[in-house]
Amino acid sequence: MTYNRITDSTTAERAVCAVVFCLFVFVFVYFYQAPTLAYAQHVLSKGATVYHELPSALLVTFVLYLLQRLTLAATKLYGASHAITYLPSMLVLAFMTSVHAEDVGGIGVSAWAYAIPFVLLLYFFIVKVVKLYLPASSSAFGFFSSRNLTASLSIMSVMMISVLCLTNGDDLFNRQVKAEMMLIDRDYAALAKEGCKGGKSFLPDYLAPSAFQLHVKMETDTTLTLLRAIALDKSGGIADSLFLQPVVGNTASMMQLENVKPLIVSRKFLMRRKSQDYRLCAMLVGRELDRFANRISSLCNLSSPAANDSLPRHFREALVLYQHLRSLPITQYQDSVLEADYDDMRDMLQGCANDAEREYAMWKNYRNTYWYYYHYASASR
């Protein structure tokens, strides 16, 4: 009876380890590292195959679990050291998800990957030592108080944390791959919200003035801005929504793809025909207000009372700003509501003690306007 209880406990402990491992791999691949694997597959297949998230996550989980079973059959570690049999699978998982993009359009691996042969040699040495000096049988304690289970789960926890630390954690890289995949799938609604969580910016409102500038610069780049702008253009809302989130770029990056580095799609794919609103927004991104005012005045009658209702939000903001920045503007445009908002903004800025307070006050209250972008979005210059 004692032997049967020990055998049952050992089987249950191995089952728990297997479930923990499979859940970790699936969640890690499906929810976190899908962009990394999608990029690696695209480069290695030269664009001939497409990464599908759910089937790929299931396949990776199955293959890595099969590798563990082979390792178990070779090492026959069943007791407190059973979790060590998952190390080769964890090592392969870390290697697969540690790839990153290179400037030449290929893939590279993290520097730690070159130590894999030495890690495997050390692993084989540890297996030999464990088999010589540690018992393979389970302890006679109950399942939930099993020392072997505690030891196995502790070892697996260390390996899982190590995988998280060794893999590609570049947020901008992962977001860009996702954005390009959305563009390929023509999921413009989802791509238009790139950079938001639940409709809100990634940035919390309580950031200190000294901290928020770094976060703004890290939140997006010229490529992500372009991808989101294309999605907004396709869905028809670019002139109302482009500056609701951080924008990085200039007219050349929006029109000629300057400093834009796509990972999956081709540059030709991104150069497809753009709407008139997109071209006007490109001028605003480049802060070319004179060129913008000249162009928009040739397209519509700005002195008409209907102009306030027909012009998109960012165009109206740009025109109000233009009227205040130029002593002899080439356009005559009036918007009483935005004029009042602009006056409130100037009063608020006059009450600030220094430039840092003014920029922070603008970010807190007007970061969703073109006014904030024009004056303070230094990351895009």
Side-chain angles (χ1 to χ4, degrees):
M1 292 296 295
T2 302
Y3 174 78
N4 290 337
R5 286 200 302 270
I6 293 176
T7 303
D8 292 342
S9 179
T10 301
T11 302
E13 291 162 6
R14 290 166 54 192
V16 170
C17 291
V19 170
V20 170
F21 172 77
C22 291
L23 284 176
F24 170 74
V25 173
F26 178 81
V27 171
F28 179 72
V29 171
Y30 183 74
F31 292 101
Y32 182 44
Q33 285 296 335
T36 301
L37 295 178
Y39 174 73
Q41 178 173 322
H42 172 79
V43 174
L44 293 175
S45 69
K46 298 182 179 180
T49 61
V50 177
Y51 183 87
H52 297 284
E53 295 182 358
L54 181 58
S56 297
L58 292 172
L59 179 61
V60 170
T61 303
F62 173 76
V63 171
L64 293 182
Y65 180 65
L66 181 61
L67 175 60
Q68 184 274 332
R69 297 295 296 177
L70 293 175
T71 305
L72 177 62
T75 60
K76 294 181 171 57
L77 296 176
Y78 295 103
S81 57
H82 173 70
I84 299 176
T85 61
Y86 288 91
L87 192 143
S89 298
M90 291 288 195
L91 196 61
V92 171
L93 178 63
F95 177 78
M96 290 171 55
T97 55
S98 68
V99 301
H100 57 266
E102 292 185 336
D103 292 337
V104 295
I107 57 175
V109 294
S110 300
W112 72 265
Y114 296 102
I116 289 179
F118 302 100
V119 174
L120 290 176
L121 288 175
L122 179 61
Y123 175 73
F124 292 132
F125 174 76
I126 291 174
V127 169
K128 288 288 186 182
V129 172
V130 167
K131 293 181 71 174
L132 285 174
Y133 296 102
L134 289 183
S137 62
S138 173
S139 61
F141 290 86
F143 171 67
F144 290 105
S145 59
S146 169
R147 294 175 181 174
N148 293 342
L149 179 62
T150 301
S152 293
L153 292 180
S154 298
I155 293 172
M156 293 193 70
S157 297
V158 172
M159 289 191 291
M160 288 187 288
I161 293 173
S162 299
V163 169
L164 290 172
C165 294
L166 293 174
T167 52
N168 185 352
D170 188 338
D171 180 61
L172 286 178
F173 170 83
N174 289 333
R175 286 167 52 200
Q176 181 179 335
V177 174
K178 286 183 179 179
E180 292 184 30
M181 292 172 68
M182 292 176 190
L183 189 61
I184 293 172
D185 295 335
R186 299 184 180 181
D187 191 357
Y188 302 132
L191 179 52
K193 298 177 182 177
E194 199 290 319
C196 287
K197 287 184 177 179
K200 297 182 179 180
S201 171
F202 278 131
L203 306 183
D205 288 336
Y206 54 78
L207 278 179
S210 60
F212 87 93
Q213 295 180 3
L214 177 62
H215 283 273
V216 171
K217 292 179 182 179
M218 293 174 61
E219 191 177 5
T220 192
D221 58 14
T222 54
T223 306
L224 280 170
T225 295
L226 175 72
L227 294 170
R228 178 173 165 266
I230 292 175
L232 287 170
D233 188 33
K234 296 297 182 181
S235 59
I238 186 170
D240 283 308
S241 305
L242 179 61
F243 297 99
L244 298 184
Q245 297 167 218
V247 170
V248 173
N250 52 43
T251 307
S253 68
M254 297 285 285
M255 298 303 299
Q256 288 84 41
L257 274 59
E258 181 182 278
N259 295 325
V260 172
K261 300 176 181 179
L263 297 172
I264 295 179
V265 301
S266 66
R267 295 177 67 87
K268 183 179 180 180
F269 184 80
L270 298 177
M271 288 291 290
R272 293 179 299 177
R273 183 177 178 85
K274 308 296 192 303
S275 69
Q276 188 65 246
D277 280 358
Y278 181 98
R279 296 175 182 276
L280 290 168
C281 283
M283 299 176 195
L284 295 183
V285 172
R287 296 178 172 83
E288 300 179 7
L289 285 183
D290 291 299
R291 184 182 171 196
F292 167 79
N294 182 65
R295 181 59 181 165
I296 199 170
S297 63
S298 68
L299 296 173
C300 60
N301 182 11
L302 297 178
S303 60
S304 170
N308 287 355
D309 297 327
S310 61
L311 284 179
R313 168 181 176 171
H314 296 317
F315 290 175
R316 291 185 285 116
E317 292 171 347
L319 286 170
V320 169
L321 176 64
Y322 174 72
Q323 304 296 318
H324 286 272
L325 293 180
R326 301 292 186 267
S327 57
L328 295 174
I330 62 175
T331 62
Q332 297 298 323
Y333 176 76
Q334 294 294 326
D335 187 319
S336 57
V337 175
L338 281 183
E339 284 288 346
D341 289 343
Y342 192 87
D343 291 339
D344 291 340
M345 181 190 72
R346 289 198 299 183
D347 293 340
M348 177 195 71
L349 294 179
Q350 289 176 357
C352 297
N354 52 54
D355 291 340
E357 284 191 16
R358 279 189 284 272
E359 183 172 358
Y360 185 62
M362 277 291 292
W363 178 79
K364 288 276 289 184
N365 298 282
Y366 293 94
R367 65 179 180 269
N368 292 334
T369 67
Y370 179 69
W371 303 334
Y372 171 77
Y373 173 82
Y374 184 88
H375 288 296
Y376 292 104
S378 58
S380 57
R381 293 177 182 173

